[in-house]
mmCIF file of all heavy atoms in Angstrom:
data_model
loop_
_atom_site.group_PDB
_atom_site.id
_atom_site.type_symbol
_atom_site.label_atom_id
_atom_site.label_comp_id
_atom_site.label_asym_id
_atom_site.label_seq_id
_atom_site.Cartn_x
_atom_site.Cartn_y
_atom_site.Cartn_z
ATOM 1 N N ALA A 968 0.811 -1.193 0.013
ATOM 2 C CA ALA A 968 -0.012 0.016 -0.018
ATOM 3 C C ALA A 968 0.875 1.261 -0.002
ATOM 4 O O ALA A 968 0.609 2.227 -0.741
ATOM 5 C CB ALA A 968 -0.925 -0.005 1.194
ATOM 6 N N VAL A 969 1.897 1.256 0.854
ATOM 7 C CA VAL A 969 2.818 2.406 0.896
ATOM 8 C C VAL A 969 3.483 2.616 -0.492
ATOM 9 O O VAL A 969 3.594 3.744 -0.961
ATOM 10 C CB VAL A 969 3.836 2.251 1.997
ATOM 11 C CG1 VAL A 969 4.939 3.305 1.922
ATOM 12 C CG2 VAL A 969 3.182 2.336 3.376
ATOM 13 N N CYS A 970 3.954 1.550 -1.069
ATOM 14 C CA CYS A 970 4.606 1.635 -2.380
ATOM 15 C C CYS A 970 3.637 2.218 -3.430
ATOM 16 O O CYS A 970 4.015 3.047 -4.268
ATOM 17 C CB CYS A 970 5.122 0.278 -2.867
ATOM 18 S SG CYS A 970 6.606 -0.214 -1.940
ATOM 19 N N CYS A 971 2.382 1.750 -3.424
ATOM 20 C CA CYS A 971 1.397 2.271 -4.355
ATOM 21 C C CYS A 971 1.146 3.759 -4.151
ATOM 22 O O CYS A 971 1.056 4.519 -5.088
ATOM 23 C CB CYS A 971 0.072 1.466 -4.249
ATOM 24 S SG CYS A 971 0.205 -0.189 -4.848
ATOM 25 N N ILE A 972 0.980 4.174 -2.917
ATOM 26 C CA ILE A 972 0.756 5.567 -2.597
ATOM 27 C C ILE A 972 1.940 6.417 -3.064
ATOM 28 O O ILE A 972 1.772 7.461 -3.733
ATOM 29 C CB ILE A 972 0.463 5.772 -1.112
ATOM 30 C CG1 ILE A 972 -0.883 5.195 -0.729
ATOM 31 C CG2 ILE A 972 0.532 7.260 -0.743
ATOM 32 C CD1 ILE A 972 -1.162 5.098 0.745
ATOM 33 N N LEU A 973 3.157 5.970 -2.775
ATOM 34 C CA LEU A 973 4.328 6.686 -3.223
ATOM 35 C C LEU A 973 4.394 6.790 -4.751
ATOM 36 O O LEU A 973 4.773 7.815 -5.307
ATOM 37 C CB LEU A 973 5.617 6.038 -2.669
ATOM 38 C CG LEU A 973 5.913 6.294 -1.199
ATOM 39 C CD1 LEU A 973 7.124 5.481 -0.769
ATOM 40 C CD2 LEU A 973 6.111 7.747 -0.924
ATOM 41 N N ALA A 974 4.050 5.697 -5.426
ATOM 42 C CA ALA A 974 4.098 5.715 -6.880
ATOM 43 C C ALA A 974 3.098 6.742 -7.429
ATOM 44 O O ALA A 974 3.416 7.467 -8.376
ATOM 45 C CB ALA A 974 3.754 4.339 -7.432
ATOM 46 N N VAL A 975 1.926 6.824 -6.839
ATOM 47 C CA VAL A 975 0.930 7.788 -7.300
ATOM 48 C C VAL A 975 1.426 9.226 -7.015
ATOM 49 O O VAL A 975 1.305 10.094 -7.850
ATOM 50 C CB VAL A 975 -0.430 7.543 -6.597
ATOM 51 C CG1 VAL A 975 -1.391 8.684 -6.842
ATOM 52 C CG2 VAL A 975 -1.020 6.262 -7.087
ATOM 53 N N LEU A 976 1.971 9.419 -5.876
ATOM 54 C CA LEU A 976 2.456 10.755 -5.496
ATOM 55 C C LEU A 976 3.626 11.153 -6.426
ATOM 56 O O LEU A 976 3.676 12.316 -6.881
ATOM 57 C CB LEU A 976 2.916 10.843 -4.042
ATOM 58 C CG LEU A 976 1.799 10.768 -2.999
ATOM 59 C CD1 LEU A 976 2.393 10.708 -1.609
ATOM 60 C CD2 LEU A 976 0.855 11.951 -3.131
ATOM 61 N N LEU A 977 4.545 10.266 -6.657
ATOM 62 C CA LEU A 977 5.684 10.574 -7.515
ATOM 63 C C LEU A 977 5.268 10.796 -8.958
ATOM 64 O O LEU A 977 5.854 11.585 -9.694
ATOM 65 C CB LEU A 977 6.742 9.496 -7.419
ATOM 66 C CG LEU A 977 7.499 9.473 -6.081
ATOM 67 C CD1 LEU A 977 8.426 8.246 -6.024
ATOM 68 C CD2 LEU A 977 8.235 10.735 -5.837
ATOM 69 N N ALA A 978 4.252 10.099 -9.408
ATOM 70 C CA ALA A 978 3.740 10.271 -10.757
ATOM 71 C C ALA A 978 3.236 11.704 -10.953
ATOM 72 O O ALA A 978 3.283 12.224 -12.058
ATOM 73 C CB ALA A 978 2.716 9.261 -11.082
ATOM 74 N N GLY A 979 2.751 12.315 -9.893
ATOM 75 C CA GLY A 979 2.273 13.672 -9.974
ATOM 76 C C GLY A 979 3.354 14.707 -9.977
ATOM 77 O O GLY A 979 3.154 15.863 -10.313
ATOM 78 N N CYS A 980 4.603 14.300 -9.676
ATOM 79 C CA CYS A 980 5.717 15.214 -9.704
ATOM 80 C C CYS A 980 6.276 15.278 -11.111
ATOM 81 O O CYS A 980 6.098 14.387 -11.877
ATOM 82 C CB CYS A 980 6.818 14.752 -8.761
ATOM 83 S SG CYS A 980 6.318 14.703 -7.039
ATOM 84 N N GLY A 981 6.982 16.379 -11.416
ATOM 85 C CA GLY A 981 7.614 16.466 -12.699
ATOM 86 C C GLY A 981 6.611 16.947 -13.781
ATOM 87 O O GLY A 981 5.530 17.470 -13.496
ATOM 88 N N TYR A 982 7.045 16.771 -15.009
ATOM 89 C CA TYR A 982 6.264 17.311 -16.118
ATOM 90 C C TYR A 982 5.547 16.229 -16.905
ATOM 91 O O TYR A 982 6.039 15.092 -17.049
ATOM 92 C CB TYR A 982 7.243 18.009 -17.088
ATOM 93 C CG TYR A 982 7.990 19.164 -16.439
ATOM 94 C CD1 TYR A 982 9.346 19.226 -16.530
ATOM 95 C CD2 TYR A 982 7.335 20.150 -15.702
ATOM 96 C CE1 TYR A 982 10.079 20.238 -15.949
ATOM 97 C CE2 TYR A 982 8.018 21.208 -15.145
ATOM 98 C CZ TYR A 982 9.387 21.252 -15.252
ATOM 99 O OH TYR A 982 10.072 22.222 -14.684
ATOM 100 N N LYS A 983 4.430 16.576 -17.466
ATOM 101 C CA LYS A 983 3.641 15.691 -18.295
ATOM 102 C C LYS A 983 4.085 15.921 -19.749
ATOM 103 O O LYS A 983 4.436 16.985 -20.156
ATOM 104 C CB LYS A 983 2.139 15.983 -18.230
ATOM 105 C CG LYS A 983 1.606 15.927 -16.783
ATOM 106 C CD LYS A 983 1.403 14.531 -16.298
ATOM 107 C CE LYS A 983 0.706 14.534 -14.969
ATOM 108 N NZ LYS A 983 1.097 13.552 -14.108
ATOM 109 N N ASP A 984 4.056 14.868 -20.558
ATOM 110 C CA ASP A 984 4.472 14.952 -21.906
ATOM 111 C C ASP A 984 3.521 15.879 -22.721
ATOM 112 O O ASP A 984 2.350 15.913 -22.452
ATOM 113 C CB ASP A 984 4.469 13.598 -22.592
ATOM 114 C CG ASP A 984 5.577 12.659 -22.060
ATOM 115 O OD1 ASP A 984 6.372 13.135 -21.229
ATOM 116 O OD2 ASP A 984 5.626 11.542 -22.494
ATOM 117 N N GLY A 985 4.096 16.626 -23.642
ATOM 118 C CA GLY A 985 3.347 17.537 -24.502
ATOM 119 C C GLY A 985 4.185 18.720 -24.903
ATOM 120 O O GLY A 985 5.345 18.852 -24.571
ATOM 121 N N THR A 986 3.566 19.631 -25.692
ATOM 122 C CA THR A 986 4.213 20.846 -26.100
ATOM 123 C C THR A 986 3.456 21.943 -25.496
ATOM 124 O O THR A 986 2.230 22.067 -25.642
ATOM 125 C CB THR A 986 4.231 20.956 -27.656
ATOM 126 O OG1 THR A 986 5.007 19.842 -28.161
ATOM 127 C CG2 THR A 986 4.904 22.260 -28.095
ATOM 128 N N TYR A 987 4.195 22.835 -24.830
ATOM 129 C CA TYR A 987 3.634 23.956 -24.034
ATOM 130 C C TYR A 987 4.195 25.277 -24.556
ATOM 131 O O TYR A 987 5.385 25.314 -24.953
ATOM 132 C CB TYR A 987 3.982 23.803 -22.571
ATOM 133 C CG TYR A 987 3.549 22.436 -22.020
ATOM 134 C CD1 TYR A 987 4.405 21.344 -22.047
ATOM 135 C CD2 TYR A 987 2.287 22.262 -21.491
ATOM 136 C CE1 TYR A 987 4.035 20.133 -21.584
ATOM 137 C CE2 TYR A 987 1.849 21.005 -20.996
ATOM 138 C CZ TYR A 987 2.774 19.943 -21.067
ATOM 139 O OH TYR A 987 2.351 18.723 -20.598
ATOM 140 N N SER A 988 3.342 26.271 -24.546
ATOM 141 C CA SER A 988 3.835 27.598 -24.971
ATOM 142 C C SER A 988 3.193 28.728 -24.154
ATOM 143 O O SER A 988 2.070 28.614 -23.681
ATOM 144 C CB SER A 988 3.556 27.823 -26.473
ATOM 145 O OG SER A 988 2.156 27.858 -26.689
ATOM 146 N N ALA A 989 3.998 29.778 -23.999
ATOM 147 C CA ALA A 989 3.536 30.964 -23.305
ATOM 148 C C ALA A 989 4.083 32.170 -24.046
ATOM 149 O O ALA A 989 5.235 32.105 -24.565
ATOM 150 C CB ALA A 989 3.954 30.973 -21.845
ATOM 151 N N GLU A 990 3.278 33.195 -24.185
ATOM 152 C CA GLU A 990 3.764 34.450 -24.820
ATOM 153 C C GLU A 990 3.097 35.648 -24.162
ATOM 154 O O GLU A 990 2.063 35.486 -23.496
ATOM 155 C CB GLU A 990 3.522 34.398 -26.305
ATOM 156 C CG GLU A 990 2.067 34.513 -26.708
ATOM 157 C CD GLU A 990 1.897 34.530 -28.250
ATOM 158 O OE1 GLU A 990 2.816 34.092 -28.991
ATOM 159 O OE2 GLU A 990 0.801 34.927 -28.684
ATOM 160 N N PHE A 991 3.684 36.788 -24.377
ATOM 161 C CA PHE A 991 3.130 38.013 -23.825
ATOM 162 C C PHE A 991 1.931 38.464 -24.640
ATOM 163 O O PHE A 991 1.752 38.085 -25.788
ATOM 164 C CB PHE A 991 4.182 39.107 -23.757
ATOM 165 C CG PHE A 991 5.171 38.842 -22.661
ATOM 166 C CD1 PHE A 991 6.421 38.287 -22.932
ATOM 167 C CD2 PHE A 991 4.826 39.096 -21.351
ATOM 168 C CE1 PHE A 991 7.300 38.041 -21.881
ATOM 169 C CE2 PHE A 991 5.696 38.867 -20.290
ATOM 170 C CZ PHE A 991 6.955 38.302 -20.578
ATOM 171 N N THR A 992 1.101 39.280 -24.039
ATOM 172 C CA THR A 992 -0.151 39.742 -24.626
ATOM 173 C C THR A 992 0.092 40.623 -25.874
ATOM 174 O O THR A 992 -0.506 40.446 -26.883
ATOM 175 C CB THR A 992 -0.981 40.524 -23.616
ATOM 176 O OG1 THR A 992 -1.167 39.706 -22.450
ATOM 177 C CG2 THR A 992 -2.312 40.922 -24.153
ATOM 178 N N ASN A 993 1.083 41.539 -25.720
ATOM 179 C CA ASN A 993 1.237 42.559 -26.780
ATOM 180 C C ASN A 993 2.683 42.546 -27.289
ATOM 181 O O ASN A 993 3.578 42.048 -26.682
ATOM 182 C CB ASN A 993 0.909 43.964 -26.217
ATOM 183 C CG ASN A 993 -0.490 44.068 -25.799
ATOM 184 O OD1 ASN A 993 -1.455 43.869 -26.587
ATOM 185 N ND2 ASN A 993 -0.736 44.343 -24.506
ATOM 186 N N PHE A 994 2.842 43.180 -28.467
ATOM 187 C CA PHE A 994 4.158 43.420 -29.026
ATOM 188 C C PHE A 994 4.815 44.589 -28.280
ATOM 189 O O PHE A 994 4.149 45.535 -27.888
ATOM 190 C CB PHE A 994 4.066 43.705 -30.523
ATOM 191 C CG PHE A 994 3.555 42.546 -31.291
ATOM 192 C CD1 PHE A 994 2.199 42.402 -31.614
ATOM 193 C CD2 PHE A 994 4.432 41.550 -31.754
ATOM 194 C CE1 PHE A 994 1.730 41.331 -32.316
ATOM 195 C CE2 PHE A 994 3.967 40.461 -32.447
ATOM 196 C CZ PHE A 994 2.625 40.321 -32.754
ATOM 197 N N ASP A 995 6.142 44.501 -28.131
ATOM 198 C CA ASP A 995 6.869 45.571 -27.390
ATOM 199 C C ASP A 995 7.097 46.754 -28.342
ATOM 200 O O ASP A 995 6.750 46.699 -29.513
ATOM 201 C CB ASP A 995 8.114 45.031 -26.752
ATOM 202 C CG ASP A 995 9.155 44.533 -27.732
ATOM 203 O OD1 ASP A 995 9.128 44.882 -28.963
ATOM 204 O OD2 ASP A 995 10.018 43.731 -27.324
ATOM 205 N N SER A 996 7.796 47.748 -27.845
ATOM 206 C CA SER A 996 8.062 48.923 -28.622
ATOM 207 C C SER A 996 9.008 48.707 -29.798
ATOM 208 O O SER A 996 9.062 49.531 -30.721
ATOM 209 C CB SER A 996 8.644 50.079 -27.716
ATOM 210 O OG SER A 996 9.880 49.640 -27.180
ATOM 211 N N LEU A 997 9.690 47.581 -29.815
ATOM 212 C CA LEU A 997 10.578 47.224 -30.897
ATOM 213 C C LEU A 997 9.885 46.256 -31.912
ATOM 214 O O LEU A 997 10.503 45.797 -32.838
ATOM 215 C CB LEU A 997 11.846 46.575 -30.374
ATOM 216 C CG LEU A 997 12.665 47.540 -29.473
ATOM 217 C CD1 LEU A 997 13.844 46.773 -28.880
ATOM 218 C CD2 LEU A 997 13.128 48.761 -30.233
ATOM 219 N N GLY A 998 8.609 45.943 -31.635
ATOM 220 C CA GLY A 998 7.830 45.163 -32.568
ATOM 221 C C GLY A 998 7.855 43.621 -32.359
ATOM 222 O O GLY A 998 7.449 42.895 -33.208
ATOM 223 N N TYR A 999 8.319 43.217 -31.200
ATOM 224 C CA TYR A 999 8.409 41.789 -30.904
ATOM 225 C C TYR A 999 7.595 41.410 -29.661
ATOM 226 O O TYR A 999 7.413 42.187 -28.736
ATOM 227 C CB TYR A 999 9.887 41.318 -30.696
ATOM 228 C CG TYR A 999 10.613 41.268 -31.973
ATOM 229 C CD1 TYR A 999 11.410 42.342 -32.395
ATOM 230 C CD2 TYR A 999 10.561 40.137 -32.785
ATOM 231 C CE1 TYR A 999 12.093 42.288 -33.602
ATOM 232 C CE2 TYR A 999 11.257 40.066 -33.985
ATOM 233 C CZ TYR A 999 11.992 41.148 -34.387
ATOM 234 O OH TYR A 999 12.664 41.078 -35.579
ATOM 235 N N LYS A 1000 7.183 40.139 -29.669
ATOM 236 C CA LYS A 1000 6.450 39.575 -28.532
ATOM 237 C C LYS A 1000 7.225 38.343 -28.131
ATOM 238 O O LYS A 1000 7.333 37.400 -28.912
ATOM 239 C CB LYS A 1000 5.044 39.216 -28.991
ATOM 240 C CG LYS A 1000 4.192 38.629 -27.864
ATOM 241 C CD LYS A 1000 2.873 38.044 -28.388
ATOM 242 C CE LYS A 1000 2.033 39.007 -29.193
ATOM 243 N NZ LYS A 1000 0.648 38.478 -29.445
ATOM 244 N N ASP A 1001 7.820 38.320 -26.959
ATOM 245 C CA ASP A 1001 8.584 37.153 -26.507
ATOM 246 C C ASP A 1001 7.670 35.977 -26.184
ATOM 247 O O ASP A 1001 6.543 36.167 -25.706
ATOM 248 C CB ASP A 1001 9.453 37.495 -25.309
ATOM 249 C CG ASP A 1001 10.684 38.298 -25.664
ATOM 250 O OD1 ASP A 1001 11.113 38.197 -26.821
ATOM 251 O OD2 ASP A 1001 11.208 38.974 -24.766
ATOM 252 N N ARG A 1002 8.181 34.786 -26.501
ATOM 253 C CA ARG A 1002 7.453 33.549 -26.254
ATOM 254 C C ARG A 1002 8.411 32.451 -25.875
ATOM 255 O O ARG A 1002 9.575 32.468 -26.215
ATOM 256 C CB ARG A 1002 6.583 33.160 -27.433
ATOM 257 C CG ARG A 1002 7.404 32.697 -28.623
ATOM 258 C CD ARG A 1002 6.530 32.263 -29.790
ATOM 259 N NE ARG A 1002 7.337 31.900 -30.919
ATOM 260 C CZ ARG A 1002 6.908 31.731 -32.105
ATOM 261 N NH1 ARG A 1002 5.601 31.828 -32.351
ATOM 262 N NH2 ARG A 1002 7.742 31.411 -33.098
ATOM 263 N N LEU A 1003 7.884 31.489 -25.165
ATOM 264 C CA LEU A 1003 8.662 30.324 -24.713
ATOM 265 C C LEU A 1003 7.843 29.047 -25.111
ATOM 266 O O LEU A 1003 6.694 28.973 -24.733
ATOM 267 C CB LEU A 1003 8.901 30.357 -23.205
ATOM 268 C CG LEU A 1003 9.619 29.176 -22.601
ATOM 269 C CD1 LEU A 1003 11.025 28.968 -23.210
ATOM 270 C CD2 LEU A 1003 9.725 29.312 -21.085
ATOM 271 N N GLN A 1004 8.445 28.204 -25.838
ATOM 272 C CA GLN A 1004 7.786 26.942 -26.237
ATOM 273 C C GLN A 1004 8.655 25.774 -25.741
ATOM 274 O O GLN A 1004 9.899 25.761 -25.975
ATOM 275 C CB GLN A 1004 7.620 26.830 -27.774
ATOM 276 C CG GLN A 1004 6.903 25.522 -28.154
ATOM 277 C CD GLN A 1004 6.542 25.514 -29.630
ATOM 278 O OE1 GLN A 1004 6.137 26.560 -30.149
ATOM 279 N NE2 GLN A 1004 6.704 24.409 -30.221
ATOM 280 N N ILE A 1005 8.032 24.815 -25.064
ATOM 281 C CA ILE A 1005 8.770 23.720 -24.428
ATOM 282 C C ILE A 1005 8.070 22.398 -24.845
ATOM 283 O O ILE A 1005 6.864 22.283 -24.771
ATOM 284 C CB ILE A 1005 8.765 23.879 -22.911
ATOM 285 C CG1 ILE A 1005 9.580 25.116 -22.513
ATOM 286 C CG2 ILE A 1005 9.320 22.613 -22.216
ATOM 287 C CD1 ILE A 1005 9.548 25.431 -21.056
ATOM 288 N N THR A 1006 8.907 21.424 -25.193
ATOM 289 C CA THR A 1006 8.399 20.099 -25.505
ATOM 290 C C THR A 1006 8.935 19.142 -24.383
ATOM 291 O O THR A 1006 10.100 19.156 -24.111
ATOM 292 C CB THR A 1006 8.866 19.649 -26.878
ATOM 293 O OG1 THR A 1006 8.373 20.547 -27.863
ATOM 294 C CG2 THR A 1006 8.342 18.229 -27.197
ATOM 295 N N VAL A 1007 8.045 18.384 -23.858
ATOM 296 C CA VAL A 1007 8.360 17.388 -22.831
ATOM 297 C C VAL A 1007 8.096 15.992 -23.379
ATOM 298 O O VAL A 1007 6.996 15.746 -23.901
ATOM 299 C CB VAL A 1007 7.540 17.624 -21.554
ATOM 300 C CG1 VAL A 1007 7.825 16.524 -20.495
ATOM 301 C CG2 VAL A 1007 7.796 19.001 -20.982
ATOM 302 N N THR A 1008 9.059 15.079 -23.252
ATOM 303 C CA THR A 1008 8.912 13.727 -23.664
ATOM 304 C C THR A 1008 9.421 12.815 -22.536
ATOM 305 O O THR A 1008 10.557 13.056 -22.039
ATOM 306 C CB THR A 1008 9.714 13.421 -24.978
ATOM 307 O OG1 THR A 1008 9.343 14.351 -25.936
ATOM 308 C CG2 THR A 1008 9.493 12.020 -25.485
ATOM 309 N N ASP A 1009 8.626 11.898 -22.108
ATOM 310 C CA ASP A 1009 8.981 10.981 -20.998
ATOM 311 C C ASP A 1009 9.344 11.777 -19.768
ATOM 312 O O ASP A 1009 10.282 11.392 -19.001
ATOM 313 C CB ASP A 1009 10.113 10.045 -21.403
ATOM 314 C CG ASP A 1009 9.698 9.094 -22.498
ATOM 315 O OD1 ASP A 1009 8.540 8.729 -22.598
ATOM 316 O OD2 ASP A 1009 10.590 8.716 -23.343
#
């Protein structure tokens, strides 16, 4: 039971597989909008 609980808890840690992105709402005064795109595998 303890091993199962730990496995469930540890599975919740870390990152889930997928491609994630975030960017700012508007373009800056130089005409750019910064963004970060991250891909997670395993």
Side-chain angles (χ1 to χ4, degrees):
V969 169
C970 286
C971 289
I972 290 170
L973 285 175
V975 169
L976 290 174
L977 290 175
C980 297
Y982 302 127
K983 305 283 187 214
D984 290 358
T986 299
Y987 305 90
S988 65
E990 69 179 19
F991 286 100
T992 306
N993 297 302
F994 294 93
D995 63 21
S996 63
L997 300 173
Y999 285 95
K1000 181 190 306 192
D1001 283 337
R1002 69 177 176 193
L1003 177 60
Q1004 183 172 320
I1005 294 175
T1006 302
V1007 176
T1008 306
D1009 296 328

